[in-house]
Amino acid sequence: MPRRVSVASLAINNQPHALYRFFDRTDVLLYVGITANLPTRMKNHSKGKPWWTQIHNITIEHFDTRQDALDAERCTTTSTTRWFRCRTRRADTPTR
């Protein structure tokens, strides 16, 4: 059966997206994510996330589409263990 996708989803998928990574003082990757609206996403993270005060460095990469950002995120998350976010829902520990 074909997968149904909303017009709004198609529109956002074709918008530019940012891939961002948060690191602590020892360069441990705390979080990695993607968004089409970076200022709003940062504001939302700053409200109540337990790791927000541990961020020392942020890197941001810009991509033409959501899929391009997802592909880059996948490369990051397969090569680095994440502490606070894991798609597989495993209990990972930080590594360098």
Side-chain angles (χ1 to χ4, degrees):
M1 178 179 239
R3 182 174 169 222
R4 297 173 86 166
V5 179
S6 72
V7 173
S9 288
L10 289 174
I12 199 164
N13 286 339
N14 291 320
Q15 290 180 1
H17 276 67
L19 166 67
Y20 56 93
R21 298 174 187 95
F22 298 148
F23 297 89
D24 73 4
R25 289 189 182 279
T26 61
D27 290 327
V28 169
L29 180 64
L30 298 173
Y31 190 92
V32 60
I34 62 169
T35 184
N37 189 332
L38 193 58
T40 298
R41 190 67 178 134
M42 293 295 153
K43 185 177 179 180
N44 291 340
H45 279 316
S46 71
K47 294 178 180 178
K49 297 296 182 188
W51 40 260
W52 183 257
T53 58
Q54 297 175 39
I55 297 170
H56 182 71
N57 188 32
I58 300 171
T59 63
I60 301 167
E61 293 181 68
H62 298 277
F63 295 90
D64 292 333
T65 67
R66 180 175 178 80
Q67 187 59 54
D68 291 343
L70 284 168
D71 291 344
E73 180 188 35
R74 194 171 300 110
C75 290
T76 296
T77 57
T78 57
S79 64
T80 308
T81 302
R82 291 178 290 168
W83 187 3
F84 288 104
R85 180 171 177 238
C86 185
R87 287 195 191 281
T88 60
R89 302 287 183 214
R90 289 190 341 233
D92 290 339
T93 55
T95 63
R96 290 184 85 157

